[in-house]
Amino acid sequence: MATNGKVKVIPCSGMGKVYGLMAREAALYTVNRLCPDQAATMCLAYIVTGDAEAEAGIAHRPCITIDGCPKMCAAKSVSAMGGDIQEEFKVLDIMKEHKGVQPGTATALTDEGWAIVEKVAGRLGSRVQEISGEGR
Ligand code: SF4
């Protein structure tokens, strides 16, 4: 499946925040390890700057966003570019299921942090599979 036919899994940029790092790692885990044939990602900055190629890959195409905080930068940016957002994931929501866990820092995750990333990626991957199946 060409990149344009894949579900776009787009994390926020989240620099300087551990939840942003978790969003990025979960997106990469999903597109590189869980669903390489059905999903692809894209740099958020590419979208925010209004790049024509980014728009071609996103506008009216199925997208899943994952954000590190309530500002929802990925969801807002993908929506502004006309992406067909099928689901908006929030790392904060998932962390509520893991109260007291120390996931790491903005630059490095703990083993617990990686375990949560894998869990998030599992949910992203499940949605990718569902959306891909619907498109057949
Ligand atoms: S959603 Fe929050 S963590 Fe992510 S890029 Fe925006 S401000 Fe940063």
Side-chain angles (χ1 to χ4, degrees):
M1 194 182 278
T3 300
N4 266 358
K6 295 181 178 181
V7 177
K8 301 300 181 308
V9 179
I10 300 164
C12 73
S13 52
M15 303 305 290
K17 295 181 182 176
V18 63
Y19 292 173
L21 175 60
M22 293 171 79
R24 295 197 305 279
E25 293 291 2
L28 289 172
Y29 195 102
T30 304
V31 304
N32 291 335
R33 299 175 69 170
L34 299 182
C35 309
D37 295 331
Q38 296 102 347
T41 191
M42 192 178 283
C43 178
L44 190 65
Y46 205 36
I47 299 166
V48 171
T49 54
D51 181 89
E53 192 180 327
E55 184 169 9
I58 281 186
H60 312 298
R61 297 182 185 277
C63 302
I64 298 172
T65 59
I66 175 159
D67 278 296
C69 85
K71 293 194 184 301
M72 303 292 288
C73 296
K76 287 178 186 170
S77 302
V78 171
S79 175
M81 192 164 254
D84 175 14
I85 299 179
Q86 301 279 318
E87 185 137 2
E88 298 176 357
F89 280 88
K90 305 178 187 88
V91 175
L92 258 182
D93 286 348
I94 292 149
M95 289 307 294
K96 287 176 187 164
E97 301 167 18
H98 301 274
K99 287 202 169 84
V101 170
Q102 299 299 322
T105 68
T107 54
L109 299 178
T110 61
D111 287 347
E112 286 180 312
W114 279 112
I116 296 170
V117 163
E118 288 186 28
K119 186 173 178 179
V120 175
R123 293 184 190 180
L124 290 167
S126 293
R127 284 299 285 132
V128 167
Q129 300 288 355
E130 287 171 11
I131 295 163
S132 299
E134 287 165 10
R136 288 201 180 111

